[in-house]
Amino acid sequence: GFQIPAPRGLLRWKREAEELQESAMQSRIHSPQDREDFLRMEVRPVLEDLAAAYWSTAPPPEDIVAFLIDTLTVQYGLALPQSGALNEAAIGEVTDTEFRIGELKKQVKEQAEKLGIVIDE
């Protein structure tokens, strides 16, 4: 029979959503204590390193964002993000990602309601 093609990126979104659900099951953050430990042991040290690098630079950098990106790439070996205007593919990816985030937020809210948990937005 005749099938209407899925909107651009929808099939990819569905596949990524399934992968995300699977990875969420394997996530290290299962409880408020896990979240606190993650923030304290992994996120906070990175933020402290960035703050120390910024405040130890004299004079302080004018372009804070560029400085933080440079610091992350040097200290943590991260790849430089793409620069310049977004191309059509990137714009489509952003749109798909925003849609996916909205759908996942709905799912999280529905599951939380089933469990009797109130989520602040």
Side-chain angles (χ1 to χ4, degrees):
F2 178 75
Q3 289 185 333
I4 298 174
R8 184 180 69 167
L10 190 57
L11 295 177
R12 182 180 53 168
W13 170 81
K14 183 178 179 185
R15 178 180 39 79
E16 289 176 358
E18 289 168 353
E19 290 171 2
L20 184 61
Q21 286 175 341
E22 182 177 319
S23 69
M25 297 290 204
Q26 300 169 354
S27 175
R28 298 179 298 174
I29 302 175
H30 296 289
S31 69
Q33 182 63 44
D34 291 339
R35 182 180 187 275
E36 185 179 316
D37 291 345
F38 175 76
L39 292 173
R40 183 173 30 84
M41 298 172 69
E42 297 193 36
V43 175
R44 188 173 182 160
V46 172
L47 295 176
E48 288 173 350
D49 288 347
L50 291 173
Y54 178 80
W55 291 111
S56 67
T57 304
E62 288 185 30
D63 187 351
I64 297 170
V65 173
F67 175 81
L68 295 175
I69 290 171
D70 290 342
T71 303
L72 286 171
T73 58
V74 171
Q75 287 188 359
Y76 293 93
L78 300 175
L80 282 173
Q82 182 180 6
S83 62
L86 296 177
N87 59 28
E88 189 175 325
I91 292 170
E93 186 174 332
V94 168
T95 303
D96 291 347
T97 301
E98 288 172 345
F99 175 77
R100 186 171 75 235
I101 289 170
E103 291 298 310
L104 291 172
K105 282 183 176 182
K106 287 179 195 175
Q107 290 177 11
V108 167
K109 187 174 180 178
E110 289 170 5
Q111 294 302 317
E113 287 174 357
K114 287 179 184 177
L115 296 172
I117 299 171
V118 177
I119 297 180
D120 297 328
E121 290 189 30

